Amino acid sequence: MKQVLANDFRRQWLETRDDVLEAVETVGASGWYILGNEVEAFEKSLAEYCNADFAVGCANGLDALEISLRAAGLEPGDKVLTTPLTAFATTLAILRAGGCPVFVDVDKQGLLDMERAEAALAKHSDIRFIMPVHLYGFLVDIERLRLLSEQYGVTVIEDAAQAINANERGNSIGGAGLAACISFYPTKNLGAMGDGGAIITHDSDFAKSCRQLRDYGQVGKYQHSVYGMNSRLDELQAAILSKAFLPRLEAWSARRTQIAKTYLKGISNPLLHVLAPELSAKPAWHLFPVLVLNGKRDAFLEDMKTQGVQCNVHYPRLVTEQGLWSKIQRSPEAYDPLTEARNFAENEVSLPIHPQMTDDEASYVIQTVNEWTEQ
Ligand SMILES: *Cc1c(COP(=O)(O)O)cnc(C)c1O
């Protein structure tokens, strides 16, 4: 039977093997494994790729978010407006930094609802930060975020873990405010061969604080005056990203877009709602989300599994419905009715989309999806 994987790391290895081995050779021969030339070079290329002035590598996306909040001056108890429909890491970073998440509902694309966000900011003048998530690789309205940031004096830190090359009307990640955080978790659009993350920014003082926080809070050698952590990007991962993966990102993104376009054109099952982006948008197509209508998601997932189409759900449970949430101190503002977010949690399915997918596999997914009926 045909099997279409959600990600295909074996094929990625076949494609990138020579360059990865060369990267490993370079680092091995250098005899320098932590915070050296490779991290520096990768940070430079990444900043350039993202049109940012600085990039700071760290151990993973979660840490990138936490470090950013702390470097931006978050004080314990500060309120951070965010979305309940995301990887738990978004909320975890806020909690770990000492912040207090305030959730507002999402819009029809599954992204932080800008009208509701503005209403919350207008109502609660003590909200100091916004952490929007460019979910599925769809860009949250960057211009609107910038305006909110100016109007309400809030600091924007974007969770761009899923959206490294998303673009809309010339806007891309990192354009909304102080910083954007990227994850190199292997399934992400730019994945490492292990964990990794980065912060991009235009602010040099902020970048400097991030560098201190990721390295034990050292402000100079053996001088510790801030409460730091150990969250460095390895030389090995940096070299692999620089030499093998970042140079392929444009082509990989183009391939994702191609598959998404094929899906948008081909999927016609009326029992599914396809989240079509606006015409001006160039999503990163980290995922290809659809909503299964009439509460039939389980049946749909079961059928896809039987037919060998590997699907996922992003995300089956809102942050506010997680076990940890009931154990922590919540602000009363966190109770916006999360109707649309719940709709996504109950009905969303992510179809396979990755750069190594063949045309045949994409056609098979379309055919399987279109043939599905509720019976
Ligand atoms: C993957 C992801 C993270 C966390 O990144 P890690 O590198 O796994 O720590 C945070 N937010 C979102 C939206 C993600 O998709």
Side-chain angles (χ1 to χ4, degrees):
M1 188 189 59
K2 233 188 171 85
Q3 277 285 339
V4 184
L5 302 179
N7 292 285
D8 196 326
F9 295 110
R10 284 208 183 82
R11 285 187 198 159
Q12 182 183 290
W13 174 246
L14 292 177
E15 183 186 334
T16 57
R17 184 179 180 277
D18 292 350
D19 295 326
V20 172
L21 292 179
E22 196 184 308
V24 174
E25 170 68 30
T26 308
V27 174
S30 79
W32 193 277
Y33 304 146
I34 297 284
L35 295 187
N37 294 339
E38 294 300 332
V39 168
E40 206 172 296
F42 173 65
E43 288 177 341
K44 225 168 153 187
S45 329
L46 182 70
E48 211 165 278
Y49 184 87
C50 296
N51 274 323
D53 293 320
F54 307 95
V56 180
C58 35
N60 52 63
L62 167 67
D63 285 0
L65 293 166
E66 181 187 342
I67 289 171
S68 294
L69 286 168
R70 291 174 50 192
L74 182 139
E75 301 282 346
D78 278 351
K79 288 176 183 156
V80 184
L81 192 149
T82 190
T83 165
L85 181 73
T86 178
F88 195 72
T90 314
T91 297
L92 193 54
I94 296 170
L95 295 173
R96 287 178 55 121
C100 186
V102 175
F103 297 109
V104 295
D105 204 3
V106 299
D107 61 17
K108 297 287 177 197
Q109 295 287 103
L111 306 178
L112 190 67
D113 186 308
M114 284 295 131
E115 299 296 328
R116 286 172 175 274
E118 173 146 23
L121 291 173
K123 196 162 152 202
H124 308 291
S125 59
D126 57 345
I127 296 176
R128 292 199 49 215
F129 296 85
I130 312 184
M131 184 167 278
V133 179
H134 303 302
L135 194 69
Y136 309 132
F138 296 156
L139 211 57
V140 179
D141 189 337
I142 295 281
E143 283 160 31
R144 185 93 192 259
L145 282 169
R146 215 183 288 139
L147 285 175
L148 288 184
S149 163
E150 282 161 16
Q151 194 173 345
Y152 294 93
V154 287
T155 302
V156 182
I157 293 173
E158 301 161 44
D159 181 339
Q162 304 189 356
I164 184 164
N165 35 31
N167 192 293
E168 183 159 1
R169 285 176 273 128
N171 289 306
S172 54
I173 63 162
L178 182 60
C181 300
I182 304 169
S183 162
F184 306 125
Y185 185 82
T187 60
K188 302 290 156 77
N189 288 30
L190 179 63
M193 292 181 80
D195 277 310
I199 300 152
I200 58 164
T201 182
H202 294 293
D203 185 317
S204 71
D205 290 337
F206 170 80
K208 194 170 155 203
S209 297
C210 292
R211 282 181 212 289
Q212 293 169 350
L213 286 170
R214 76 169 172 188
D215 193 25
Y216 312 134
Q218 295 195 81
V219 297
K221 193 156 179 160
Y222 302 130
Q223 289 176 49
H224 305 267
S225 50
V226 287
Y227 199 83
M229 44 210 271
N230 175 355
S231 182
R232 300 169 300 225
L233 180 67
D234 290 347
E235 284 284 283
L236 209 45
Q237 295 300 344
I240 292 169
L241 287 163
S242 286
K243 295 182 202 316
F245 297 162
L246 187 57
R248 289 180 165 86
L249 186 54
E250 276 309 294
W252 283 348
S253 305
R255 184 62 189 149
R256 282 178 188 272
T257 303
Q258 228 170 28
I259 295 163
K261 286 190 171 156
T262 315
Y263 281 175
L264 286 170
K265 222 164 116 192
I267 296 175
S268 56
N269 193 329
L271 301 171
L272 299 177
H273 170 68
V274 177
L275 296 177
E278 303 212 358
L279 285 175
S280 59
K282 295 194 182 92
W285 292 114
H286 172 59
L287 299 166
F288 192 91
V290 299
L291 298 175
V292 183
L293 305 181
N294 310 331
K296 299 284 184 182
R297 179 170 68 186
D298 288 350
F300 178 79
L301 284 172
E302 190 53 40
D303 187 60
M304 291 302 115
K305 198 172 158 191
T306 313
Q307 313 269 355
V309 175
Q310 201 176 72
C311 295
N312 282 303
V313 171
H314 298 93
Y315 290 87
R317 213 179 246 217
L318 300 185
V319 169
T320 47
E321 287 158 2
Q322 296 291 351
L324 181 69
W325 186 244
S326 61
K327 295 184 195 149
I328 51 184
Q329 280 251 298
R330 290 163 273 177
S331 67
E333 295 86 346
Y335 293 99
D336 197 48
L338 305 173
T339 319
E340 195 56 38
R342 204 153 276 127
N343 177 33
F344 273 78
E346 283 166 10
N347 302 307
E348 192 271 351
V349 169
S350 303
L351 301 180
I353 185 166
H354 64 80
Q356 286 81 24
M357 221 169 132
T358 64
D359 289 345
D360 256 12
E361 287 171 331
S363 304
Y364 180 69
V365 172
I366 292 171
Q367 185 197 330
T368 312
V369 162
N370 284 344
E371 280 169 6
W372 178 70
T373 59
E374 289 175 82
Q375 279 72 45

